[in-house]
Amino acid sequence: MTQTPLPPAPPSSPVPAAAWSRPLGLGWERPYTVRYASNIDDGPWQGMPLGGFGAGCFGRSPRGDINLWQIDGGDRVFRSLPSCQFSIFEQGEGKAAQAYALSTEAADDGSLGAWQWYPPSTGDRTTGTYSALYPRSWFEYEGVFDCQIRCEQFSPIIPGNYQETSYPVAIFEWSVHNPTDRPITLSLMLSWENVVGWFTNAIAAPEVKVRDDGSPEYEYQPRWGESAGNFSRWIEDFYRVGCTLMNVQDLAFVDAHPGEAPPEGRGQWAIVTVQNPAVEVSYHTHWNPAGDGADLWQDFARTGSLPDEPDETPAQPGERVGAAIAVRFTVQPGRTRKVPFVIAWDFPTTEFAAGVNYQRRYTDFFGRNGTNAWTIARTALKHYEEWREKIQAWQAPILDRPDWPDWFKMALFNELYDLSAGGSLWTAADERDPKGQFAVLECMDYRWYESLDVRLYGSFGLLQLWPELEKAVMRAFARAIPTADDTPRVIGYNQAAAVRKLRDATPHDLGAPNEHPWERSNYTSYQDCNLWKDLGSDFVLLVYRDYGLTGGTDVEFLAECWGSVVRALDYLKGFDGDGDGIPENSGAPDQTFDDWRLQGVSAYCGGLWIAALEAAIAIADILLAAEGSGQRDRAGTLLDPQGVILDPEEIRQARDRFSQWRGQARSRYDELLWNGQYYRLDSASNSDVVMADQLCGQFYARLLNLPDVVPADRARTAIEHIYQSCFVAFNDFCRSDRAAALGWQCDPNGPAIGIANGVLADGSPENPKATHPLEVWTGINFGLAAFWLQMGFKAEAFEVTEAVVHQIYSGGLQFRTPEAITPQGTFRACTYLRPLAIWALYGILTEFESLNP
């Protein structure tokens, strides 16, 4: 007897078990809300960003809408644009057709009223799942269509890759499986509004104002909806088909200025798919996104096809225009079909202050005239499967670790989102910077680049995965240290007068998007960063870290930074008022906890100082050894940022000076600060606060195989007290009646939220009105966990890391991880750089094996 063969099984899900998941369109009951009204709070509908580093990006949320736009370098718009959307038409034999735009939220501006929107999940019914494991994410649709439908989306973010990682492109691969016994016809449509020209500041020279929290800010006003001259062109390029969205004035500029880059905001988009005999591709190049959408939806919802109208009429002033492509096909019972779409964009120029223009890194590979969106998309269609295989090969060893919990694997990858969505810049290469210059904002509220105190922890992801970009950032700081900027300004914290940048002071940051990043540093004016006591030490430690943990062979990098290492430490030593070898804190907030006053010698800054002296001595020894071994051409003849040839005798003199200071400092640190249980906050305030990050210098000393800053047994005793006071007792206090009596609105049955920066031994606040001591800083928690892991406290390290990860990914903070969360369910400073410190844990767990040759 002949048996009927069974239909092929549906393909297994490619979504890793560790990915973060959320039911489509299901809201949050109690999402975190912003602590200060002046800070950004876009709400919890945040999805993984798509786009290469420094290329601009957009984000598609767990509702299915595209709502994050970072196409302008360093600036952003968070606003849903329903016209930029995927839609699905489905019709089975004997069934009525159905069509949905795949967002669970209808347009709220009165547009697209003719469209049918996908039903959201509820507490009783799931209509699908959104999952993310950066740089890949997935939409899976359930219970609405007869077909099983999944969309995987990603960009070529590949470790150690300095080309494709910069590409402005997003790939969407749709997988459609028919589990029924009858054929099903299905159509996938990608509609895209022509937003060329929208993403540049309409305010030519925005006024810098001081926000209520003392931070400088400026207004960013995109040219949202300004589409005059925009049009779309249908292109058939062998098997590749799609639309290029452009502007008539831009084409005229290219013709009139051959070889020149266009102004900021000018360029192209491209939406592209493939055609073959098994599919039917149709298109529409001129529909009205501001109307009811019937001109596009009516045909699609009825037949799954578009009218093939090649209309290149430019939009008139006040008019908006979009393009769309649809791929229609039939899936036989038990079969699966995959359909790729690509969205690419080409906006090669980023303008900062008027006339300060840079070209983006990807232009090194595609040209700078802003007409290469189609070429970028075509490249993606050719290589996207190879790119995905490289991403999978990178992630697999981590995902396959049975001894690591899924929540940890998930957070490792997803926290990397900030390297794309954190306002990142990556410039075209030149002779001085052969891989370009790179920078990420401190956060979206504090919009200045690469805050040095923050990247002390927050740069571990960049270091381990793209070490050449990490070194590029540190070279920029080395160049900035010898510079001076005597621009007067008022300090937001206390209204004192100060100059912007003193010569040889280590800058806090590398500038802001409205000025000239890399050339003008110290943008922040909340504090006078010329007075900070941690920045110089941070610089030295990061230089030596970046050398040592990338193989310990790049003597050229050390030589380039050496002159600034000396300047930074000599400048910082000037704050040693009593001559005991350790610079004193001034009683003002003069370090990374910039609302927290430290007085005299502090555990935090003093420990970093000792570790930095050890690092500088080690650097000097390496440079002198290179001289002695005949490597003078490699090291000794290199120029420092001021163009001075390194002199071995001057290196020896600096080394001797640092050795003398080290001897003094070591004899005083424990004498002044050790109280038998932990290191006191400082030597002059008489505070009994247990500071969580008191031994950051010890962490870095151990990390870099330098001599311990403090005896190991004392470090372990201090960790035990920090764990008990700042984590266990603090979280117990938050749930207690004592906290409620202070007005803290905490959940008495809630889980732990993490380690507080500084509390009394019983977990209570020294000052209930304090800000930074009572916040849980996500990145500091991850950095502390790395230190504890380093010192043998693995269970405690994972306990606190899990607590913070849980708060982020259950509280609607995903893909906008803040600097700080509070027991009251509030946060501060979203999309923050420091949480990339979670990669420090990975480094400790693997002994930074990925960085060693």
Side-chain angles (χ1 to χ4, degrees):
M1 187 173 80
T2 302
Q3 292 184 334
T4 302
L6 295 174
S12 59
S13 173
V15 181
W20 178 76
S21 295
R22 184 82 188 171
L24 291 181
L26 182 65
W28 281 256
E29 290 185 9
R30 294 180 60 188
Y32 272 86
T33 56
V34 78
R35 181 172 187 176
Y36 301 118
S38 61
N39 279 194
I40 294 170
D41 186 359
D42 292 320
W45 292 107
Q46 310 279 339
M48 191 200 79
L50 293 156
F53 294 175
C57 67
F58 60 86
R60 190 175 175 212
S61 86
R63 289 189 302 212
D65 62 323
I66 293 173
N67 56 10
L68 171 67
W69 303 89
Q70 279 193 25
I71 305 304
D72 187 351
D75 290 297
R76 65 188 284 282
V77 178
F78 191 86
R79 182 171 176 178
S80 182
L81 192 59
S83 52
C84 295
Q85 188 58 252
F86 280 102
S87 302
I88 289 181
F89 165 94
E90 183 188 65
Q91 186 171 29
E93 287 188 1
K95 288 192 173 184
Q98 59 175 344
Y100 291 98
L102 297 181
S103 171
T104 62
E105 189 82 3
D108 60 4
D109 60 0
S111 66
L112 308 185
W115 291 26
Q116 182 78 14
W117 302 92
Y118 192 74
S121 299
T122 66
D124 300 324
R125 179 198 181 202
T126 298
T127 60
T129 304
Y130 172 80
S131 304
L133 193 72
Y134 187 81
R136 302 165 72 200
S137 56
W138 300 262
F139 285 86
E140 296 177 291
Y141 301 91
E142 305 169 18
V144 176
F145 301 110
D146 289 334
C147 283
Q148 296 170 351
I149 303 172
R150 177 188 304 117
C151 176
E152 178 181 357
Q153 51 189 32
F154 66 97
S155 297
I157 307 300
I158 303 166
N161 176 294
Y162 300 95
Q163 180 169 331
E164 285 87 349
T165 301
S166 74
Y167 285 2
V169 69
I171 299 101
F172 302 82
E173 185 181 70
W174 289 86
S175 176
V176 180
H177 177 75
N178 181 357
T180 75
D181 59 0
R182 295 186 178 187
I184 297 176
T185 296
L186 190 132
S187 182
L188 297 167
M189 179 174 72
L190 171 57
S191 57
W192 202 260
E193 182 160 358
N194 191 332
V195 295
V196 169
W198 288 22
F199 299 109
T200 184
N201 201 344
I203 305 172
E207 179 185 359
V208 177
K209 300 180 180 179
V210 177
R211 201 165 45 205
D212 59 1
D213 65 359
S215 302
E217 65 174 353
Y218 63 93
E219 184 179 357
Y220 178 71
Q221 187 180 105
R223 297 184 179 275
W224 191 269
E226 296 184 18
S227 301
N230 286 356
F231 73 99
S232 303
R233 177 171 294 161
W234 174 250
I235 297 178
E236 296 185 9
D237 179 12
F238 296 99
Y239 65 90
R240 299 169 290 260
V241 292
C243 294
T244 301
L245 292 71
M246 60 191 91
N247 182 279
V248 291
Q249 288 87 2
D250 293 353
L251 295 183
F253 177 90
V254 172
D255 290 340
H257 303 84
E260 290 188 24
E264 180 182 75
R266 313 312 308 184
Q268 294 181 342
W269 291 85
I271 55 174
V272 187
T273 187
V274 297
Q275 64 178 358
N276 59 60
V279 302
E280 171 193 307
V281 179
S282 56
Y283 61 91
H284 196 319
T285 62
H286 194 101
W287 65 279
N288 179 16
D292 66 3
D295 52 342
L296 187 69
W297 194 257
Q298 188 172 20
D299 289 324
F300 178 75
R302 182 170 53 86
T303 66
S305 296
L306 299 176
D308 290 350
E309 295 183 5
D311 185 348
E312 296 186 9
T313 304
Q316 297 301 305
E319 184 181 10
R320 289 161 60 173
V321 64
I325 49 178
V327 180
R328 190 174 185 270
F329 51 90
T330 297
V331 187
Q332 298 299 323
R335 298 293 178 178
T336 301
R337 181 171 296 279
K338 293 186 177 182
V339 178
F341 286 84
V342 169
I343 300 173
W345 54 101
D346 181 15
F347 296 92
T349 302
T350 293
E351 182 179 52
F352 301 113
V356 178
N357 295 301
Y358 282 80
Q359 273 62 59
R360 288 172 155 148
R361 168 63 170 171
Y362 76 85
T363 64
D364 288 337
F365 315 107
F366 291 104
R368 301 182 180 183
N369 65 4
T371 64
N372 298 293
W374 184 269
T375 303
I376 296 168
R378 185 174 60 194
T379 301
L381 282 173
K382 181 178 180 180
H383 294 289
Y384 79 87
E385 291 178 310
E386 172 194 345
W387 295 342
R388 179 169 52 200
E389 288 172 0
K390 290 181 178 179
I391 294 169
Q392 290 171 325
W394 157 42
Q395 293 186 335
I398 294 175
L399 297 179
D400 292 344
R401 289 284 300 249
D403 54 331
W404 292 355
D406 280 348
W407 60 261
F408 177 61
K409 302 170 188 176
M410 177 275 293
L412 271 179
F413 291 116
N414 280 341
E415 289 305 315
L416 292 170
Y417 84 95
D418 192 57
L419 297 176
S420 175
S424 63
L425 305 176
W426 191 357
T427 69
D430 58 24
E431 184 175 348
R432 185 180 72 162
D433 295 291
K435 290 195 169 52
Q437 292 182 287
F438 185 80
V440 178
L441 294 173
E442 178 174 332
C443 69
M444 286 301 156
D445 283 298
Y446 313 146
R447 281 196 296 167
W448 40 84
Y449 287 105
E450 293 293 349
S451 300
L452 189 63
D453 57 314
V454 175
R455 73 185 326 274
L456 184 69
Y457 279 141
S459 59
F460 276 95
L462 194 66
L463 168 70
Q464 294 176 79
L465 301 173
W466 294 275
E468 293 305 315
L469 297 185
E470 165 60 26
K471 289 181 181 178
V473 175
M474 294 311 299
R475 287 188 181 97
F477 273 103
R479 295 165 186 161
I481 285 172
T483 66
D485 184 343
D486 59 2
T487 303
R489 55 186 182 174
V490 176
I491 298 305
Y493 178 77
N494 58 7
Q495 301 302 299
V499 299
R500 178 160 174 163
K501 166 72 170 67
L502 292 174
R503 191 174 308 279
D504 295 345
T506 302
H508 170 272
D509 56 75
L510 293 174
N514 63 321
E515 291 190 342
H516 192 166
W518 303 294
E519 300 300 321
R520 293 200 71 192
S521 60
N522 266 3
Y523 183 80
T524 181
S525 60
Y526 178 52
Q527 297 287 1
D528 182 359
C529 295
N530 295 298
L531 305 179
W532 278 27
K533 309 309 186 297
D534 54 350
L535 293 173
S537 300
D538 295 347
F539 170 74
V540 176
L541 289 168
L542 287 173
V543 167
Y544 188 55
R545 183 201 67 175
D546 292 358
Y547 166 81
L549 296 185
T550 56
T553 59
D554 193 355
V555 179
E556 181 178 350
F557 171 70
L558 290 184
E560 286 180 272
C561 296
W562 171 253
S564 291
V565 165
V566 175
R567 290 179 176 88
L569 293 179
D570 283 348
Y571 178 89
L572 191 52
K573 181 61 167 60
F575 294 105
D576 178 15
D578 58 8
D580 67 352
I582 308 179
E584 289 90 31
N585 292 90
S586 66
D590 54 4
Q591 26 64 45
T592 194
F593 303 95
D594 56 357
D595 261 350
W596 197 354
R597 297 171 178 268
L598 307 181
Q599 300 179 44
V601 172
S602 68
Y604 179 74
C605 296
L608 287 171
W609 167 253
I610 293 171
L613 291 174
E614 295 286 4
I617 292 166
I619 294 171
D621 288 342
I622 293 166
L623 294 176
L624 291 171
E627 162 73 15
S629 64
Q631 296 184 41
R632 183 170 175 78
D633 286 343
R634 175 171 171 78
T637 63
L638 290 171
L639 304 180
D640 76 359
Q642 294 295 93
V644 178
I645 296 176
L646 299 184
D647 184 325
E649 182 56 33
E650 291 182 357
I651 295 174
R652 278 188 279 271
Q653 291 175 4
R655 187 196 186 283
D656 290 345
R657 191 160 67 249
F658 300 154
S659 296
Q660 179 186 359
W661 298 346
R662 174 190 60 181
Q664 290 178 286
R666 283 191 171 279
S667 65
R668 288 289 285 164
Y669 187 80
D670 272 45
E671 176 188 340
L672 288 172
L673 300 174
W674 178 247
N675 69 4
Q677 298 178 319
Y678 56 89
Y679 285 85
R680 297 164 55 203
L681 180 68
D682 57 43
S683 63
S685 70
N686 296 317
S687 173
D688 291 325
V689 160
V690 182
M691 185 185 196
D693 203 20
Q694 58 186 259
L695 291 180
C696 185
Q698 171 73 0
F699 167 62
Y700 256 87
R702 282 255 167 149
L703 181 71
L704 304 179
N705 293 316
L706 297 168
D708 282 343
V709 170
V710 301
D713 59 335
R714 291 187 175 182
R716 284 189 286 269
T717 298
I719 289 172
E720 291 170 353
H721 281 82
I722 293 166
Y723 170 77
Q724 182 60 40
S725 298
C726 299
F727 181 68
V728 176
F730 169 70
N731 282 281
D732 286 344
F733 177 84
C734 290
R735 305 182 189 104
S736 70
D737 293 339
R738 295 169 64 196
L742 293 174
W744 293 17
Q745 299 173 357
C746 310
D747 181 356
N749 300 311
I753 67 168
I755 305 169
N757 283 327
V759 291
L760 299 175
D762 66 354
S764 64
E766 180 182 50
N767 174 8
K769 296 182 179 180
T771 52
H772 290 179
L774 303 180
E775 291 179 327
V776 171
W777 285 13
T778 55
I780 293 290
N781 271 242
F782 294 155
L784 286 169
F787 173 42
W788 296 2
L789 186 64
Q790 182 190 69
M791 296 298 294
F793 293 83
K794 183 175 182 179
E796 293 84 352
F798 271 84
E799 184 183 7
V800 299
T801 305
E802 182 178 15
V804 175
V805 169
H806 173 76
Q807 295 300 321
I808 295 168
Y809 289 92
S810 67
L813 296 174
Q814 74 289 339
F815 303 112
R816 56 167 183 159
T817 308
E819 159 79 312
I821 57 178
T822 72
Q824 294 91 333
T826 63
F827 72 90
R828 179 176 59 79
C830 66
T831 320
Y832 208 76
L833 173 61
R834 192 156 17 207
L836 278 164
I838 197 168
W839 278 87
L841 277 88
Y842 174 82
I844 298 297
L845 287 166
T846 61
E847 298 181 346
F848 291 90
E849 59 191 20
S850 64
L851 291 175
N852 295 321

